[in-house]
Amino acid sequence: MNKRTRPSPEAAEILAIQALAFIAEEPERMSAFLAATGIEPAAIRDAAHEPDFLAGVLEHMLGDENLLLAFADSAGLDPAEIARARHALGGQWERDLP
């Protein structure tokens, strides 16, 4: 049996950035992401440098099966790879609260 290994944190970050770009391609996906996370659009660029935020991007994707499958299909990935990348990033992103 071929055991899958967890990707490196760097590879997981790259995948999360690809996922964020995929979300941003469609206004409906981006609106849902902004509503779910509460992040302001202007803050995304800075937040994207934070591994915990990137973990949150993957967490958002894992929480929406249609989004997950669409991204996995477009990227040529097994959806489980996205879950492994999320796990590799660890932590939790906590947005700033007013």
Side-chain angles (χ1 to χ4, degrees), residues 9 25-26 31 45 57 77 84-85 98:
E25 287 175 356
E26 294 289 332
S31 293
R45 187 176 302 262
V57 170
L77 296 170
R84 283 191 278 278

Side-chain angles (χ1 to χ4, degrees), residues 17-43:
I17 290 167
Q18 291 172 329
L20 181 59
F22 180 80
I23 290 169
E25 287 175 356
E26 294 289 332
E28 297 82 23
R29 290 192 295 237
M30 191 62 168
S31 293
F33 177 75
L34 295 173
T37 63
I39 191 168
E40 294 294 324

Side-chain angles (χ1 to χ4, degrees), residues 38-83:
I39 191 168
E40 294 294 324
I44 290 176
R45 187 176 302 262
D46 288 335
H49 296 285
E50 299 296 326
D52 289 344
F53 172 77
L54 295 174
V57 170
L58 296 179
E59 191 72 35
H60 173 75
M61 188 159 279
L62 291 166
D64 181 336
E65 185 176 9
N66 290 329
L67 178 63
L68 173 66
L69 294 176
F71 173 64
D73 184 56
S74 77
L77 296 170
D78 178 341
E81 290 295 320
I82 298 158

